Amino acid sequence: MRPDLSCSASCAGRQGHFIWLGALVVATTILSACGGGDGGSSAASSAMHASAGASQLANQAQTANQPYTDPIAYSPHAKDGLGVSQVAEKSAVMHYQWTSGGKTLNYTTTTGHLTASDANGKPEATMSYVAYTVPSTNGAPRPVTFFYNGGPGSSSIWLRLGSFAPTRVATPDPLLTNWPNYPLVNNEQSLIDTTDMVFIDPPGTGLSEAILPNTNQTFWGCDSDVGVMRDFIRRYLTVNDRGDSPLYLYGESYGTPRTDMLALALESAGVHLSGIVLQSSILNYFADAIEAVAITGSASALALDTDTLSGYLPAYAEVAAYYNQVQPAPVDPGVYAWQVATFVTGEYRHFRKYAQTWVLSQLGIPDALGKPVLPSQSVLSSWTWSSGMTMQALNGYFNLDPFFTALLPGTTIGRYDGRVSLPNSDPRLQADSDPSDILIAQPFANALATQMPDYLGYSAPNATFMPLNDEIIQVWDFSHDGQPLPDTVPDLLAALTLNPQLKVLAVNGYHDLATPFFNTEKQLARLQSVPGLFPNLQVTFYPGGHMTYLDDTARPQMKAQLADFYQGQWIPGALGLWMLPPPWRDEAPAGTPTETAQTSAL
């Protein structure tokens, strides 16, 4: 996504994509430096708060605000780390009210650092985070959800400023109206009335840094990243007495394989989860040959190239429909998705001869392994009826140029949201080739620069906040479970085995061309290979791209359906495991990681 959480290696070559923010300086007088706690929303403290009237809490809020100026010079660089004596678990604590539909809640923001330590108590990293909490009104602990983006190399700014916190950046998605100045507004679709929220920045992002003898790069790999994220969560639960709270994980993009692995790590450590949310998933890197080739540079990464071509096509077709390149125009995106999935399944064997060329064309190297092979115009014409796509749309997909520039002549469409587009002459594309990145990158940076000191009460004048760290993606260790790339469906299965009550929600945008929804369906469908497995798994779809919550139509739907999910209810229209299309036959069963041999390099 965006400056975001983008999906992995294909972001690595993009320059000018990440943002450096200047030092954040708060002008207000510092009242005190608070500890790392979130002000208390455990059952014990909740009972105390419940006895106070709303007006009393509002009055207390004006006097209890505790801004904090953090003097530490955090570094995002690979070889850097802080000495133990420099680390402090301190935070800013501020109090506000959230309103929506006549409902008013008093909530607390806590912004600062906690120290993640390993099982032996050795400090690993000082992790920056922002928590939004509300006192319980019934003496029972409220749920707490841990949010993080992906990249790898992204902070959690994109979810925090765009999704379900009490305030959000009001984007005009999928338009760029008034770019780059979007206002910060009260988020009527916040989840603050459903769950407390903690947004985490992994080491090397935000203001998080390793603690020596570790360096930031120590945690720049699938397994080490999961370990430090697990240890931060354990620390947060301990400091804030939240061990009895229902616990949830919410990961986006690379954050979804992280979630599968992290759920298993937490369950194995005795930290039991109530549920996980997978937003815009890439659960198996082998099944996205574009990513696999970009990361490994190996021809063997093309093993699932037909699955990749087939997996991207339904999302591309939805984007084509947005640009009036589907005839007749679909009346419902879900019905049209089913139509294209049926087309793809029927033509799967025919696609095999074109798949290698297609994958390499998306990477800009169509002739890297020999003469490219494309379907003839007569073949494309035969597909117009069953796919619904026009000849222009089909030629845009089966092309020696990436479909981002081939669908509409003279226009570049977004990777994270195919509905966002710019003419090729737009000078902004020289620094960032993805219009849907451009949509939010600078506006979110602008919002953060004022939100941190003014709203969150936190400033770090000697450090630079890192929304997305380009260093990380360049050196990330993608190996996992003995393989060069992560296939985390086995991790998800193992977590479900340890905790059969674990609720799983997979959220997808129809117009996401970074992590297409049909790929997610096919990967989760591998769980069908496990006899007797009936997980509480729901898969939902919305208009929009990678960051579906940016869409003003999708976000209210997501809020309502997430509330259902937290309450253990079935979401209307969601697909369960046995409603998903069956997995591709060349994919490994759920309990077996996908394998590939690293042989010839491209």
Side-chain angles (χ1 to χ4, degrees):
M1 110 203 156
R2 36 14 219 8
D4 145 22
L5 30 189
S6 173
C7 215
S8 81
S10 55
C11 302
R14 299 187 303 177
Q15 301 300 316
H17 175 63
F18 63 97
I19 311 159
W20 282 89
L21 294 183
L24 301 174
V25 182
V26 65
T28 56
T29 302
I30 304 307
L31 300 180
S32 66
C34 303
D38 65 10
S41 58
S42 66
S45 62
S46 296
M48 176 185 68
H49 284 291
S51 64
S55 59
Q56 180 183 356
L57 285 173
N59 292 332
Q60 290 175 345
Q62 300 304 314
T63 59
N65 285 346
Q66 297 175 319
Y68 175 56
T69 296
D70 190 339
I72 299 176
Y74 301 101
S75 169
H77 298 303
K79 302 302 182 183
D80 289 344
L82 286 170
V84 174
S85 62
Q86 297 176 272
V87 175
E89 289 191 326
K90 295 185 178 180
S91 59
V93 179
M94 307 290 283
H95 301 273
Y96 296 98
Q97 284 189 335
W98 171 79
T99 59
S100 178
K103 179 188 298 184
T104 299
L105 289 178
N106 295 288
Y107 70 92
T108 299
T109 70
T110 305
T111 307
H113 285 75
L114 288 175
T115 299
S117 300
D118 65 17
N120 297 317
K122 295 181 61 177
E124 298 169 308
T126 178
M127 306 275 279
S128 60
Y129 74 100
V130 178
Y132 301 86
T133 58
V134 171
S136 172
T137 58
N138 59 9
R142 279 168 48 90
V144 58
T145 303
F146 296 94
F147 289 78
Y148 37 81
N149 283 110
S154 178
S155 70
S156 61
I157 172 182
W158 319 107
L159 274 167
R160 185 168 64 77
L161 292 183
S163 66
F164 301 111
T167 61
R168 66 177 180 87
V169 177
T171 69
D173 181 51
L175 306 177
L176 286 99
T177 308
N178 296 325
W179 186 93
N181 300 308
Y182 308 150
L184 271 167
V185 299
N186 177 68
N187 186 3
E188 293 188 357
Q189 289 82 43
S190 177
L191 283 172
I192 194 64
D193 59 344
T194 299
T195 178
D196 292 342
M197 293 171 278
V198 183
F199 294 81
I200 311 171
D201 301 323
T205 75
L207 292 171
S208 294
E209 186 173 359
I211 297 174
L212 296 171
N214 301 299
T215 64
N216 287 327
Q217 192 170 345
T218 301
F219 305 106
W220 292 355
C222 292
D223 295 338
S224 57
D225 166 80
V226 164
V228 77
M229 294 289 281
R230 173 200 61 205
D231 296 337
F232 170 86
I233 290 172
R234 295 174 69 180
R235 179 60 179 163
Y236 181 90
L237 297 176
T238 297
V239 167
N240 294 288
D241 191 22
R242 300 304 298 269
D244 293 333
S245 294
L247 305 179
Y248 291 81
L249 305 178
Y250 193 122
E252 180 173 288
S253 197
Y254 176 78
T256 59
R258 173 187 279 150
T259 293
D260 285 351
M261 295 182 283
L262 183 55
L264 177 57
L266 287 167
E267 293 289 348
S268 299
V271 179
H272 299 301
L273 300 169
S274 294
I276 61 175
V277 180
L278 306 172
Q279 163 94 47
S280 305
S281 298
I282 178 167
L283 305 180
N284 177 9
Y285 272 71
F286 295 102
D288 189 329
I290 300 172
E291 292 286 331
V293 171
I295 294 168
T296 67
S298 170
S300 62
L302 288 163
L304 300 180
D305 54 4
T306 308
D307 299 1
T308 305
L309 181 158
S310 303
Y312 272 74
L313 188 50
Y316 173 87
E318 297 280 3
V319 172
Y322 177 80
Y323 292 109
N324 301 314
Q325 294 300 316
V326 171
Q327 299 296 332
V331 296
D332 180 87
V335 173
Y336 184 55
W338 175 86
Q339 176 186 339
V340 181
T342 302
F343 162 69
V344 163
T345 303
E347 295 292 342
Y348 179 86
R349 291 185 179 181
H350 198 174
F351 287 163
R352 286 178 179 171
K353 67 181 74 172
Y354 313 119
Q356 176 178 292
T357 295
W358 185 86
V359 170
L360 297 178
S361 294
Q362 304 314 307
L363 294 165
I365 50 173
D367 56 354
L369 294 176
K371 184 179 179 180
V373 180
L374 294 174
S376 67
Q377 292 300 295
S378 62
V379 168
L380 292 179
S381 180
S382 71
W383 289 343
T384 57
W385 181 83
S386 51
S387 71
M389 284 183 280
T390 64
M391 283 293 288
Q392 177 177 324
L394 288 166
N395 273 305
Y397 196 70
F398 294 94
N399 194 291
L400 296 184
D401 295 320
F403 59 71
F404 303 105
T405 57
L407 173 61
L408 302 175
T411 300
T412 298
I413 64 172
R415 177 170 178 256
Y416 296 114
D417 188 338
R419 303 171 305 164
V420 185
S421 64
L422 286 172
N424 293 342
S425 59
D426 193 298
R428 289 171 290 187
L429 291 171
Q430 296 178 9
D432 187 337
S433 62
D434 185 346
S436 52
D437 255 351
I438 295 170
L439 171 72
I440 65 165
Q442 189 60 49
F444 274 47
N446 294 347
L448 181 68
T450 58
Q451 191 204 48
M452 289 284 278
D454 296 343
Y455 167 69
L456 297 177
Y458 177 92
S459 63
N462 298 315
T464 299
F465 188 94
M466 181 61 73
L468 181 68
N469 189 344
D470 194 53
E471 278 190 58
I472 294 178
I473 190 66
Q474 304 291 346
V475 299
W476 188 265
D477 181 0
F478 280 92
S479 64
H480 175 62
D481 205 11
Q483 300 298 321
L485 296 171
D487 172 9
T488 65
V489 175
D491 298 85
L492 177 58
L493 174 60
L496 288 167
T497 302
L498 288 174
N499 181 3
Q501 304 305 312
L502 181 67
K503 299 180 293 186
V504 181
L505 174 62
V507 174
N508 304 270
Y510 283 120
H511 306 96
D512 180 359
L513 295 175
T515 57
F517 65 86
F518 197 50
N519 275 356
T520 298
E521 292 182 76
K522 286 292 191 178
Q523 288 307 305
L524 290 173
R526 290 167 59 197
L527 293 169
Q528 295 171 355
S529 65
V530 183
L533 181 67
F534 296 96
N536 187 341
L537 168 68
Q538 303 185 66
V539 185
T540 58
F541 310 87
Y542 307 91
H546 205 61
M547 304 169 75
T548 51
Y549 43 77
L550 296 181
D551 186 282
D552 287 341
T553 299
R555 189 176 55 260
Q557 297 174 13
M558 292 180 68
K559 162 60 189 285
Q561 295 181 354
L562 282 163
D564 288 344
F565 173 72
Y566 277 86
Q567 293 168 10
Q569 299 176 5
W570 190 261
I571 296 171
L575 300 182
L577 175 60
W578 296 98
M579 301 168 68
L580 296 173
W584 302 119
R585 291 186 178 181
D586 58 353
E587 297 259 13
T592 305
T594 303
E595 296 184 16
T596 188
Q598 288 187 295
T599 55
S600 60
L602 291 172

